[in-house]
Amino acid sequence: MDPKKPIIALDFQEMDQLEDFLNQFQEPLNVKIGMELYYTSGIAMIHALKDRGHEIFLDLKLHDIPNTVKWAMKSLAKQGVAMLNVHAMGGRAMMEAARQGIDKGVKAGQARPLLLAVTQLTSTSSEQLHEEQLVEVSMEESVSHLAKLTQMAQLDGVVCSPLEAKALKAQFGSEFITVTPGIRLNQGGDDQKRTATPYDAALNGCDYIVVGRPITQASDPVEAYHAILVDWQSGLAEKNKNF
């Protein structure tokens, strides 16, 4: 998956909506498939996207007992997607089992998908962290702790907010991948709480950005995509000048 291109979150509920959206583009894309589409169309949809040349982040956030996650990951790894994920709240043993499952499932000659763990959802506020999850530490400390478990389990990195990527890179090293949703050219207006622009995300050390509604719900999705692409690549160029 090309990190110079945003990952478009295809948060549609039906295949015809997905096809209408993708038909507007003339280029291979990085795309994220979540539960809405996967539970509707499953493996057939993944193969259809791959046939179009798109690279896929399959975002199912597996969170179950280790054995269940292990065998689910073995099955998913066979599909040739570029990224898979679990929820770090499942714990180190579950994450280790997920990695074992992927290693068992990857076909000979096929690249292993990147395996990521979700820390705290970008829709989670500090108030929810304390009042609903009963977590007493700060958001930053919670994310750091979950990222540490992720690294100990030998996963490739985390899904986190763009506001936390810089600190995680400093703590865990440049090879620890950060994939960041919550990207907005214009801040505010929906349920995402911890957000940043593509340019700022690049300066914060994000390796991949995920953008959904600012593209999929735009009046001109192709124009919106390219505006985000330019902002992201401008930030990457600026970051590279400083290293």
Side-chain angles (χ1 to χ4, degrees):
M1 183 173 283
D2 185 355
K4 296 185 180 67
K5 298 193 295 186
I7 302 170
I8 304 177
L10 299 177
D11 295 327
F12 301 106
Q13 297 180 3
E14 302 293 342
M15 277 295 290
D16 57 352
Q17 296 174 313
L18 173 63
E19 290 173 358
D20 288 345
F21 175 80
L22 291 176
N23 285 340
Q24 299 174 76
F25 292 84
Q26 303 299 315
E27 60 201 283
L29 302 169
N30 293 338
V31 298
K32 181 175 79 70
I33 295 298
M35 288 178 273
E36 298 101 321
L37 270 175
Y38 186 77
Y39 293 155
T40 299
S41 305
I43 300 301
M45 175 264 302
I46 290 175
H47 292 309
L49 289 173
K50 288 179 60 184
D51 288 344
R52 289 176 176 242
H54 303 312
E55 294 279 352
I56 302 169
F57 171 17
L58 185 57
D59 176 27
L60 300 181
K61 300 182 183 69
L62 298 190
H63 185 174
D64 211 312
I65 62 172
N67 193 59
T68 296
V69 170
K70 177 180 178 178
W71 296 113
M73 278 295 177
K74 179 182 177 181
S75 175
L76 294 174
K78 296 177 180 179
Q79 307 310 320
V81 300
M83 291 182 182
L84 291 163
N85 65 359
V86 298
H87 206 302
M89 287 288 192
R92 180 177 174 180
M94 187 206 75
M95 290 191 280
E96 290 174 339
R99 175 61 192 266
Q100 293 167 9
I102 283 183
D103 290 343
K104 287 179 176 292
V106 172
K107 298 176 182 178
Q110 176 182 307
R112 179 180 68 80
L114 293 175
L115 178 57
L116 310 165
V118 176
T119 54
Q120 290 287 349
L121 299 175
T122 51
S123 60
T124 301
S125 67
S126 295
E127 290 75 20
Q128 288 174 303
L129 185 74
H130 301 316
E131 296 173 12
E132 297 181 12
Q133 297 184 21
L134 296 182
V135 173
E136 296 181 357
V137 301
S138 68
M139 180 68 72
E140 292 75 18
E141 289 174 290
S142 176
V143 169
S144 174
H145 172 67
L146 293 170
K148 182 176 181 179
L149 289 179
T150 300
Q151 189 180 59
M152 292 170 66
Q154 298 185 2
L155 273 62
D156 298 295
V158 293
V159 180
C160 64
S161 95
L163 305 183
E164 294 135 7
K166 186 174 183 179
L168 294 178
K169 287 288 188 179
Q171 185 175 0
F172 300 109
S174 61
E175 299 301 313
F176 192 69
I177 293 171
T178 55
V179 177
T180 56
I183 303 299
R184 303 285 184 269
L185 280 175
N186 300 304
Q187 300 302 299
D190 57 38
D191 58 354
Q192 298 280 26
K193 307 298 184 186
R194 306 190 325 278
T195 65
T197 66
Y199 185 89
D200 289 338
L203 295 186
N204 282 346
C206 301
D207 295 296
Y208 296 87
I209 57 171
V210 179
V211 189
R213 285 166 287 186
I215 297 174
T216 60
Q217 296 183 12
S219 58
D220 187 335
V222 176
E223 180 181 27
Y225 170 76
H226 284 284
I228 288 167
L229 175 68
V230 168
D231 201 57
W232 170 239
Q233 292 186 347
S234 295
L236 292 176
E238 182 66 24
K239 182 185 74 171
N240 291 336
K241 284 198 315 185
N242 297 324
F243 285 91

